[in-house]
Amino acid sequence: QVQVVESGGGSVQAGGSLKLSCEVSGLTFDDYFVGWFRQAPGKEREGLICSAWSGATAYYQNSIKGRFTLSRDNAKNTLYLEMNILKPEDTAMYYCAAGGPRNAGYCSNSGNGMAYWGKGTLVTVSS
Protein backbone atom coordinates (compact mmCIF):
# COMPACT_ATOMS: atom_id res chain seq x y z
CA GLN A 1 0.00 0.00 0.00
CA VAL A 2 1.41 3.35 -1.02
CA GLN A 3 1.57 6.07 1.61
CA VAL A 4 2.54 9.70 1.13
CA VAL A 5 3.03 11.71 4.31
CA GLU A 6 3.95 15.39 4.44
CA SER A 7 5.38 17.17 7.46
CA GLY A 8 7.10 20.41 8.40
CA GLY A 9 4.33 22.93 7.94
CA GLY A 10 3.69 25.66 10.46
CA SER A 11 3.26 29.37 11.04
CA VAL A 12 6.01 31.83 10.24
CA GLN A 13 6.37 35.54 9.70
CA ALA A 14 7.01 36.99 6.28
CA GLY A 15 10.64 36.62 5.33
CA GLY A 16 11.01 33.41 7.29
CA SER A 17 11.79 29.88 6.16
CA LEU A 18 10.34 26.41 6.42
CA LYS A 19 11.43 23.02 5.15
CA LEU A 20 8.74 20.53 4.23
CA SER A 21 9.35 16.79 4.04
CA CYS A 22 7.43 14.09 2.23
CA GLU A 23 7.98 10.45 3.02
CA VAL A 24 6.75 7.97 0.43
CA SER A 25 6.44 4.26 1.11
CA GLY A 26 5.10 1.28 -0.79
CA LEU A 27 6.73 2.01 -4.14
CA THR A 28 10.15 2.20 -5.76
CA PHE A 29 10.74 5.87 -5.07
CA ASP A 30 13.50 6.47 -7.58
CA ASP A 31 11.25 5.23 -10.41
CA TYR A 32 8.64 7.90 -9.74
CA PHE A 33 7.94 11.52 -10.55
CA VAL A 34 7.45 13.38 -7.25
CA GLY A 35 6.32 16.93 -6.75
CA TRP A 36 4.86 19.62 -4.54
CA PHE A 37 1.53 21.34 -5.01
CA ARG A 38 -0.42 23.84 -2.96
CA GLN A 39 -3.95 25.08 -2.55
CA ALA A 40 -4.67 28.44 -0.99
CA PRO A 41 -8.06 29.20 0.57
CA GLY A 42 -10.60 29.89 -2.15
CA LYS A 43 -8.20 29.03 -4.96
CA GLU A 44 -7.53 26.06 -7.16
CA ARG A 45 -4.65 23.73 -6.55
CA GLU A 46 -1.46 24.69 -8.37
CA GLY A 47 1.70 22.85 -9.16
CA LEU A 48 4.91 24.23 -7.70
CA ILE A 49 7.85 22.06 -8.57
CA CYS A 50 8.37 18.51 -9.72
CA SER A 51 11.24 16.05 -9.89
CA ALA A 52 11.33 13.40 -12.58
CA TRP A 53 12.74 9.95 -11.92
CA SER A 54 15.44 10.87 -14.42
CA GLY A 55 16.60 13.72 -12.19
CA ALA A 56 15.14 16.61 -14.17
CA THR A 57 13.32 19.31 -12.23
CA ALA A 58 10.47 21.49 -13.46
CA TYR A 59 9.08 24.66 -11.91
CA TYR A 60 5.49 25.66 -12.53
CA GLN A 61 5.24 28.97 -10.71
CA ASN A 62 7.56 31.89 -11.42
CA SER A 63 6.71 33.30 -8.00
CA ILE A 64 8.71 30.60 -6.23
CA LYS A 65 11.85 30.65 -8.34
CA GLY A 66 14.83 31.71 -6.29
CA ARG A 67 12.93 31.10 -3.05
CA PHE A 68 11.84 27.42 -3.10
CA THR A 69 14.17 24.49 -3.67
CA LEU A 70 13.22 20.87 -4.18
CA SER A 71 15.48 17.98 -3.30
CA ARG A 72 14.97 14.25 -3.12
CA ASP A 73 16.78 11.57 -1.18
CA ASN A 74 16.10 8.31 -2.97
CA ALA A 75 17.82 6.32 -0.22
CA LYS A 76 15.31 7.66 2.30
CA ASN A 77 12.30 7.73 -0.05
CA THR A 78 11.89 11.36 0.90
CA LEU A 79 11.19 14.57 -0.97
CA TYR A 80 11.94 17.96 0.51
CA LEU A 81 10.81 21.51 -0.20
CA GLU A 82 12.95 24.23 1.28
CA MET A 83 11.08 27.52 1.33
CA ASN A 84 12.82 30.81 1.97
CA ILE A 85 11.74 34.45 1.99
CA LEU A 86 8.18 33.36 2.61
CA LYS A 87 5.38 35.75 1.76
CA PRO A 88 1.79 35.95 3.02
CA GLU A 89 0.64 34.80 -0.43
CA ASP A 90 2.49 31.52 0.16
CA THR A 91 -0.12 30.64 2.78
CA ALA A 92 -1.71 27.39 1.65
CA MET A 93 -2.07 23.69 2.23
CA TYR A 94 0.97 22.04 0.67
CA TYR A 95 0.66 18.61 -0.88
CA CYS A 96 3.18 16.06 -2.03
CA ALA A 97 2.37 13.64 -4.81
CA ALA A 98 3.96 10.77 -6.73
CA GLY A 99 3.31 9.39 -10.19
CA GLY A 100 4.75 6.48 -12.12
CA PRO A 101 6.48 4.19 -12.38
CA ARG A 102 8.61 5.95 -14.97
CA ASN A 103 6.58 7.12 -17.95
CA ALA A 104 3.32 5.91 -16.45
CA GLY A 105 3.44 9.22 -14.61
CA TYR A 106 4.46 12.74 -15.53
CA CYS A 107 5.00 16.18 -14.09
CA SER A 108 2.43 18.88 -14.79
CA ASN A 109 0.96 21.97 -13.20
CA SER A 110 -2.39 20.22 -12.85
CA GLY A 111 -1.05 17.18 -11.05
CA ASN A 112 -2.88 14.87 -13.46
CA GLY A 113 0.20 12.70 -13.85
CA MET A 114 0.31 11.92 -10.15
CA ALA A 115 -1.44 8.86 -8.78
CA TYR A 116 -0.63 9.11 -5.08
CA TRP A 117 -1.28 12.12 -2.86
CA GLY A 118 -0.64 13.01 0.74
CA LYS A 119 -3.14 14.74 3.01
CA GLY A 120 -1.15 17.95 3.09
CA THR A 121 0.64 20.15 5.58
CA LEU A 122 -0.50 23.68 6.33
CA VAL A 123 1.80 26.67 5.87
CA THR A 124 0.69 30.02 7.24
CA VAL A 125 2.74 33.16 6.62
CA SER A 126 1.82 36.30 8.53
CA SER A 127 2.76 39.82 7.54
Side-chain angles (χ1 to χ4, degrees), residues 55-98:
T57 300
Y59 285 82
Y60 295 100
Q61 303 300 329
N62 287 329
S63 63
I64 68 167
K65 289 182 179 179
R67 300 191 299 124
F68 290 14
T69 303
L70 178 147
S71 60
R72 64 189 291 172
D73 186 336
N74 288 339
K76 294 183 178 180
N77 284 14
T78 301
L79 185 70
Y80 302 97
L81 182 66
E82 186 164 359
M83 306 185 294
N84 298 310
I85 318 174
L86 283 161
K87 304 175 180 180
E89 51 265 41
D90 294 319
T91 294
M93 187 70 80
Y94 283 70
Y95 298 92
C96 175

Side-chain angles (χ1 to χ4, degrees), residues 29-34 51-56 72 74 99 101-105:
F29 187 75
D30 55 2
D31 272 350
Y32 276 71
F33 293 87
V34 283
S51 171
W53 54 267
S54 62
R72 64 189 291 172
N74 288 339
R102 301 224 167 182
N103 294 330

Side-chain angles (χ1 to χ4, degrees), residues 32-57:
Y32 276 71
F33 293 87
V34 283
W36 289 98
F37 300 77
R38 70 184 179 189
Q39 187 167 17
K43 294 187 177 181
E44 293 187 353
R45 185 182 68 201
E46 63 181 6
L48 294 177
I49 185 169
C50 186
S51 171
W53 54 267
S54 62
T57 300

Side-chain angles (χ1 to χ4, degrees), residues 4 6 37 45 95-98 110-112 114-119:
V4 179
E6 305 95 336
F37 300 77
R45 185 182 68 201
Y95 298 92
C96 175
S110 68
N112 287 344
M114 301 299 187
Y116 305 103
W117 291 81
K119 294 182 179 180

Side-chain angles (χ1 to χ4, degrees), residues 11-33:
S11 297
V12 296
Q13 291 191 326
S17 299
L18 282 174
K19 186 173 183 177
L20 307 184
S21 299
C22 170
E23 292 188 43
V24 183
S25 60
L27 52 76
T28 305
F29 187 75
D30 55 2
D31 272 350
Y32 276 71
F33 293 87

